[in-house]
Amino acid sequence: MQMRFLWIGKTKNSAIKSLVSDYLERIRHFVPCEVAELRDVSKRSSLPVDGLIEAEGNEILRRIPAGSRLVVLDETGSQFSSREFARRLETEQNHGARLITFAIGGPEGLSRMVLDKSNLILSLGRMTWTHEMCRVLLLEQIYRALCIMRNIPYHR
């Protein structure tokens, strides 16, 4: 199984960038993974919010490889405990998922077309996090899930 992470814009905060790098290296001990930082359309466009969300959605969908399972982060998504999330990833792996793509939209959220194409809509909880923090939280939970799946004591 491989993992791909798509998010809008570069990680600018140096502390968060360091955490993202750390967790990506940890994840790479278990599975190959890559990150695609998609251009932030809002920085170069005067599109209305709906147009901005649609443009970002088109860019996200364009970058999802054929045959990939798509997991998106959205406040309306399902919430899991760490163990439940690990079981979900393990089920995907056992059912032959070769690639899972995780997508985080921009600050205005994800387009309906991206949500409709997803295999799982995931929420990190009811609180609001910055999009850069969401990257770290997602990566940490994926690393934790991979440790749980392999019975490595990180989770205890």
Side-chain angles (χ1 to χ4, degrees), residues 74-92:
D74 188 79
E75 63 186 7
T76 65
S78 300
Q79 295 180 33
F80 297 98
S81 71
S82 295
R83 290 193 184 280
E84 290 167 340
F85 184 58
R87 280 194 296 276
R88 182 72 186 232
L89 284 182
E90 193 167 41
T91 298
E92 290 290 342

Side-chain angles (χ1 to χ4, degrees), residues 27-86:
I27 291 167
R28 286 184 180 117
H29 284 103
F30 300 116
V31 298
C33 66
E34 65 179 59
V35 173
E37 294 181 326
L38 309 180
R39 69 186 174 98
D40 187 351
V41 179
S42 69
K43 301 292 185 209
R44 296 184 208 117
S45 174
S46 59
L47 288 172
V49 171
D50 290 347
L52 175 67
I53 292 170
E54 184 178 340
E56 289 175 352
N58 286 331
E59 185 67 15
I60 288 170
L61 291 176
R62 192 176 68 73
R63 302 291 290 272
I64 299 169
S68 177
R69 304 287 291 166
L70 177 60
V71 177
V72 298
L73 267 62
D74 188 79
E75 63 186 7
T76 65
S78 300
Q79 295 180 33
F80 297 98
S81 71
S82 295
R83 290 193 184 280
E84 290 167 340
F85 184 58

Side-chain angles (χ1 to χ4, degrees), residues 122-151:
L122 179 65
S123 170
L124 295 175
R126 293 177 34 203
M127 292 181 173
T128 301
W129 302 96
T130 68
H131 281 69
E132 288 192 355
M133 283 296 298
C134 287
R135 298 166 190 184
V136 174
L137 295 171
L138 175 64
L139 293 172
E140 193 281 337
Q141 283 301 301
I142 290 170
Y143 175 69
R144 183 177 297 274
L146 292 167
C147 287
I148 291 168
M149 290 164 60
R150 289 162 177 79
N151 203 27

Side-chain angles (χ1 to χ4, degrees), residues 147 151-156:
C147 287
N151 203 27
I152 294 172
Y154 174 79
H155 180 66
R156 295 182 197 157

